Amino acid sequence: MDLFDEQGFENVTVEQVAAEVGISARSFHRYFPAKEDAVIVEPVGWGEVVRERFAARPADEPVWDGLRAAYESLLATPGRDEARGKRAMRVLGSTPALRARNLEKHLLWARLLTPLVADRIGGSDATLRAEAIVQASLGCFDIALAAWATDTTGADPKVLLRVAFDALTALREDRLP
Amino acid sequence: MDLFDEQGFENVTVEQVAAEVGISARSFHRYFPAKEDAVIVEPVGWGEVVRERFAARPADEPVWDGLRAAYESLLATPGRDEARGKRAMRVLGSTPALRARNLEKHLLWARLLTPLVADRIGGSDATLRAEAIVQASLGCFDIALAAWATDTTGADPKVLLRVAFDALTALREDRLP
DNA sequence: GCCGCAATTGTCAGAGTCTGACAGGAATGG
DNA sequence: CCATTCCTGTCAGACTCTGACAATTGCGGC
């Protein structure tokens, strides 16, 4: 991560990273199928966490609130190094290839959440509408994290997440320009 | 596109594609910086179209309606071959690398639209909220297109787009599970 | 302490994507 | 008809990623 942050993700070869930690390039690819995965970290595991967290929410709670609560549980992970997290997000946001890989991770999350949401909202076109809602919520999560990483005022990520989520519930009444 | 559809995107080499159309692999990469760009088609140009279309909307219209109208103008492109479009979407959805590249295109669109939306909605945290709204709208667009591509009942893409957009304006009142 | 077993790692070779440099041919304009 | 410019092909190279095989390490039983 040091190398990526200093020289830029694309300007660092796998061989450099491997040499830095004293392994061969081949071993690097055994741990990380792709170079990008070294900074994205474990797509599946956290997706499961979000899914379970959302599934545990009360059935009569609006889905939008439940989704936000599920994401908040990720933000609140205690063993989280603030500076390290921000740097990872910064590296992630600086390279197209990384952003793309990150978005793919979210597609995976979406596949986990959509059926749950579809069940809750019901009605016609339930899956299509559920996909829209899940996708939107993931977008809010992404945006809040990005805002948090580039923020210098020490804002609380939960507050940013709430602002993003509220922006969409307010869609209906913004008749004003 | 024929080759990609039959054999799968990853199982077709650039050299095969180049040979098929009678050029060298080097020339292929002059037209398409990356292999994925051969199926994604012109990220920038259409993004500009959406931006202009949205900018031309009346200032007192709700942004959500304006965004939907902007995307509709893409769907309504007259010279659009239905079958070809669906096949492209199918190929696109079948390969992770392509999905990722497609999402990146949408990030580019988001950068074009966000400042316009931020201007219209105003208030505190305008850019953060604008990002959430634009991201959500792009998600709806994506989902509607994917649903259209896999749909066998001949549904109108505009209707699917509307359903997706409406799913988010209805967020507030879904108190029901 | 020694041996067999399994897991981890390194080395080697290869396919595939993408880029830069250079040269030849085709089209365009005077 | 020539000169300039554009397009293309060839060549060479860097890089990511994968498969096959050998070497190493760690561990439990004897």
Side-chain angles (χ1 to χ4, degrees):
Chain A
M1 200 65 87
D2 284 336
L3 288 174
F4 290 155
D5 200 12
E6 291 163 11
Q7 308 181 27
F9 180 77
E10 322 214 64
N11 301 324
V12 180
T13 70
V14 169
E15 225 149 337
Q16 283 178 265
V17 178
E20 187 74 23
V21 295
I23 63 173
S24 72
R26 188 64 184 89
S27 286
F28 175 94
H29 277 114
R30 273 193 259 263
Y31 289 111
F32 307 109
K35 183 182 168 189
E36 290 87 358
D37 295 327
V39 33
I40 298 291
V41 293
E42 209 205 357
V44 182
W46 284 20
E48 296 285 349
V49 171
V50 174
R51 203 195 82 239
E52 288 169 14
R53 189 75 208 286
F54 176 71
R57 289 258 118 199
D60 60 341
E61 182 186 52
V63 288
W64 198 240
D65 295 343
L67 287 168
R68 184 165 51 77
Y71 297 142
E72 271 183 3
S73 67
L74 290 190
L75 266 37
T77 306
R80 224 173 136 72
D81 183 343
E82 183 119 338
R84 185 181 298 257
K86 282 200 179 187
R87 187 178 53 173
M89 284 297 301
R90 201 162 355 109
V91 172
L92 200 155
S94 67
T95 305
L98 281 174
R99 282 198 303 268
R101 203 75 162 199
N102 193 45
L103 291 176
E104 270 213 84
K105 172 186 70 177
H106 282 196
L107 280 185
L108 206 148
W109 292 17
R111 267 195 285 281
L112 295 177
L113 290 172
T114 301
L116 297 182
V117 173
D119 274 353
R120 294 211 184 187
I121 59 176
S124 61
D125 296 315
T127 44
L128 179 59
R129 281 157 51 228
E131 278 172 352
I133 292 171
V134 170
Q135 190 96 336
S137 72
L138 283 167
C140 288
F141 182 60
D142 254 339
I143 285 162
L145 270 187
W148 169 73
T150 61
D151 178 88
T152 56
T153 66
D156 183 0
K158 288 190 184 180
V159 173
L160 297 172
L161 190 66
R162 163 140 238 149
V163 171
F165 266 70
D166 286 350
L168 294 189
T169 56
L171 272 183
R172 156 120 344 164
E173 58 254 34
D174 83 285
R175 285 271 143 206
L176 320 174
Chain B
M1 201 63 87
D2 284 337
L3 289 174
F4 290 155
D5 199 12
E6 290 163 13
Q7 307 182 26
F9 180 76
E10 321 214 65
N11 301 324
V12 180
T13 69
V14 168
E15 225 149 334
Q16 283 177 267
V17 178
E20 187 73 25
V21 295
I23 63 174
S24 70
R26 187 66 184 87
S27 285
F28 175 94
H29 277 114
R30 274 192 259 262
Y31 288 110
F32 307 109
K35 184 182 167 189
E36 290 86 358
D37 295 326
V39 34
I40 298 291
V41 293
E42 209 204 357
V44 182
W46 284 21
E48 296 285 351
V49 171
V50 175
R51 202 194 83 240
E52 287 169 14
R53 189 75 206 284
F54 177 72
R57 290 259 117 195
D60 61 343
E61 182 184 50
V63 287
W64 197 241
D65 295 343
L67 287 168
R68 185 167 50 79
Y71 297 141
E72 269 183 5
S73 66
L74 290 190
L75 266 36
T77 306
R80 222 170 139 72
D81 182 343
E82 182 118 336
R84 186 179 298 257
K86 283 200 180 189
R87 189 177 52 175
M89 284 297 301
R90 199 158 2 105
V91 173
L92 200 155
S94 67
T95 307
L98 282 174
R99 282 197 304 267
R101 203 75 162 201
N102 191 46
L103 291 175
E104 271 214 84
K105 172 186 70 176
H106 282 196
L107 279 183
L108 207 148
W109 290 17
R111 269 196 285 281
L112 295 176
L113 289 172
T114 301
L116 297 181
V117 173
D119 274 355
R120 293 211 184 186
I121 60 176
S124 60
D125 295 313
T127 44
L128 178 59
R129 281 157 51 226
E131 279 171 352
I133 291 171
V134 169
Q135 190 96 335
S137 72
L138 283 167
C140 288
F141 181 59
D142 254 337
I143 285 163
L145 270 187
W148 169 74
T150 61
D151 178 89
T152 56
T153 67
D156 183 0
K158 287 190 186 181
V159 173
L160 297 173
L161 190 67
R162 164 141 238 149
V163 170
F165 267 70
D166 285 351
L168 294 188
T169 55
L171 272 184
R172 155 122 344 167
E173 58 254 36
D174 84 286
R175 283 270 144 208
L176 320 175

